[in-house]
Amino acid sequence: MSKSIQYETAAEFIDAQPERAKAALLKYKECIMKVAPNAEELLNYNIAAYALIPGGKREAQIMLGANKSSIGFYPHPSTMIQFETELEGYIKGKGSVQFSLNNSIPKDLIVRMVKYRLELLTR
């Protein structure tokens, strides 16, 4: 029975990923920080998370996960609904979307999704 790794920080989580996933995670992080330069980097559910507002709990975070073939982007269900049309063709959950490591990173879409979420949080 294998024991799953428990990370101490988001940076440790990112650094532990295979090179392709690590490079992609850093680009997704860059998109988040472009919109919310003061976002607090933390660990939530043992993956990288970025609190868009000071002290932001799960509802105010964007989370990033990774596996062998994709990056999991968790922007919140409200954001998924808002961008539903643009996310057609991707594997989606209620509050998440998977972006394949075989495709280019949709930076513009990521930035717009983070902006949308931040605007909802700061109204």
Side-chain angles (χ1 to χ4, degrees):
M1 183 171 173
S2 67
K3 186 177 173 186
S4 67
I5 298 168
Q6 291 298 307
Y7 303 104
E8 296 295 322
T9 65
E12 184 181 320
F13 164 77
I14 292 170
D15 199 48
Q17 303 310 306
E19 206 53 48
R20 260 178 78 196
K22 178 181 173 179
L25 285 166
L26 291 171
K27 289 178 182 171
Y28 282 89
K29 174 185 172 179
E30 191 178 289
C31 291
I32 293 168
M33 300 308 282
K34 179 179 180 177
V35 175
N38 296 320
E40 177 188 0
E41 185 176 62
L42 44 98
L43 199 65
N44 199 344
Y45 297 102
N46 207 34
I47 61 174
Y50 301 87
L52 300 179
I53 58 173
K57 302 296 181 210
R58 188 192 177 302
E59 291 288 310
Q61 295 172 11
I62 302 278
M63 292 183 276
L64 297 173
N67 63 37
K68 290 180 188 176
S69 61
S70 66
I71 298 299
F73 182 71
Y74 302 81
H76 190 269
S78 62
T79 305
M80 294 297 296
I81 292 167
Q82 179 67 23
F83 289 87
E84 186 174 356
T85 303
E86 292 181 73
L87 294 171
E88 283 180 15
Y90 293 103
I91 297 170
K92 299 178 294 273
K94 181 179 176 184
S96 65
V97 59
Q98 291 181 29
F99 293 109
S100 173
L101 290 173
N102 293 326
N103 298 331
S104 60
I105 297 169
K107 290 181 181 180
D108 178 63
L109 177 59
I110 298 302
V111 166
R112 288 185 293 114
M113 291 173 80
V114 175
K115 276 184 186 174
Y116 177 79
R117 187 69 195 137
L118 183 58
E119 286 170 6
L120 288 181
L121 293 168
T122 57
R123 281 186 182 164

